[in-house]
Amino acid sequence: MRKRLLIVDDDPAVGSALGEQLAGSRWLEPCGQAENVEAAWRMLRDDRPDLVLLGGIKEAERGVLCQQFRLAFPHLAFIAACGTRELAWEPFFRNLGIWVIAKPIQPGQLEALAMQLASLQVLPMGGVQAGGAPSLAGETGPTPGLHAVAEARPVQPYLAGRSSTKHLITVYGPKGGVGKTFLSRELAVYFSLQKRDGRPLKVLAVDFNLDLGTFATSLNLPRSPNLFTWVQEIDARLHDLVRGHGRDPLDVRPEEWQEYVAAVHTQPEEVDKYVVTYEETGLHVLTSPRDIRHSFEIRDYHLYLMLETLKHSAYDVILIDTAPDTTDATIQALFFAERVVMVGNPVVDSIENIQRMLKLLREAEYPEERIQLCMNRLQKREMFTLDEIRAYFHLHPSKKIHPIPDDAEVKKSINTGTPVVLHPGRSAAKEAIEALGSILLPLDAVESGSVKGKAKERPALLKWLWR
């Protein structure tokens, strides 16, 4: 049976061209084109399409519109057609459960997706029923048009028991050495001291600096198990699935793994097997691999599946520490987050890198209200004032830059692995970190916690590097 395709695009030529090209298709039947937001909502409700192709509508912010469509019509399959620039933000659409294809649109791409949907038995929110993986056994060649699909796959269904209030925070700095991991550590420990309804918040810190991450080291924690431990478990399931289709995993093409991973079912409780615990506060840490070579084996679909699992976990706060780059891991972490802390320090190269990243995010229509800017290691006398930096970033007058001053306690905490927020006394850095934490996690939503007694002193950090 042919799938009914609704086209959402303000260019009428798109619908005309696809209508002609798909006239003889066995898989798809265009049922109309919406050229504005009002028409799109009306046709989604009245025309009952099976697939929706999301092009561009100038009057609407596309990311927000996609999110609204998915929430209102979770039973439909949505396809986003992205240009070269937009493909950099493809993880955002995937996290919404939207399939992605690259422009220019080819009819074979749409037909390939329609063929897959026919065999996948799509559930609400794009999930795949057990046993509903694509049947690839015995294929002698690639599916027509499948090579042009940019990692198109559905998101898993929302799982029962998801926490009603979850805070997803990513800490990012486009330049290394600015104290990003230090700030990630301090915020994660601060959050783990807070309470809701009389119980401590359950907090997870994730180190997405896959090759050179040091979050665990900054807390004197072992680095086993870690993210790669989880990846190995995912790969074991994938290989079993492939063998179940009568194939050798060594013969599976890279793009096919993207399809198989849609059928891998994970449970939020699994995360507990891969974390280490910071005993002083109960903070859980999902650490990066200790061996750099293991990071090369972590693919974007591993990260996507792990983030989807974390979104449905029982954690109240999930904080991701990222690498100072724009790799897929970092981009996925940015679009995973509800709030982003962008960290730099008041030197020329750091300021320039933040400005360039803000410009890129603005061009991609990333919601700037999600971002909190932070200047770390601020001294009393700097070459640039915060007002000058704000002007260079073209920030709205109401947008604040959060300063974190450098003091003796910061240097001591870095070398001993004892967080500043656990120091029993007061310091300017501690107060600034707590102020930033209260903005990211408003205190009217939680009860302020405290540490009983003084945090025990740890030996010098170098002693822990071989753990």
Side-chain angles (χ1 to χ4, degrees), residues 7-13 33-37 39-40 43 56-57 59:
I7 300 165
V8 178
D9 197 294
D10 55 17
D11 183 357
Q33 178 172 355
E35 298 180 12
N36 56 60
V37 176
M43 296 176 76
I57 294 182
E59 65 187 70

Side-chain angles (χ1 to χ4, degrees), residues 296-342:
F296 304 150
E297 301 180 42
I298 302 179
R299 311 299 182 193
D300 60 342
Y301 55 83
H302 292 132
L303 300 172
Y304 173 66
L305 186 59
M306 289 188 284
L307 289 177
E308 280 301 310
T309 305
L310 292 177
K311 279 202 296 189
H312 304 109
S313 68
Y315 288 102
D316 301 297
V317 180
I318 299 172
L319 182 143
I320 300 181
D321 183 33
T322 61
D325 56 31
T326 53
T327 60
D328 191 72
T330 299
I331 296 300
Q332 290 208 42
L334 288 173
F335 281 108
F336 168 83
E338 297 171 342
R339 308 294 293 273
V340 172
V341 181
M342 190 171 294

Side-chain angles (χ1 to χ4, degrees), residues 412-430:
K412 182 180 178 182
S413 75
I414 291 173
N415 287 325
T416 62
T418 302
V420 169
V421 295
L422 294 185
H423 189 271
R426 303 304 303 171
S427 74
K430 179 179 179 179

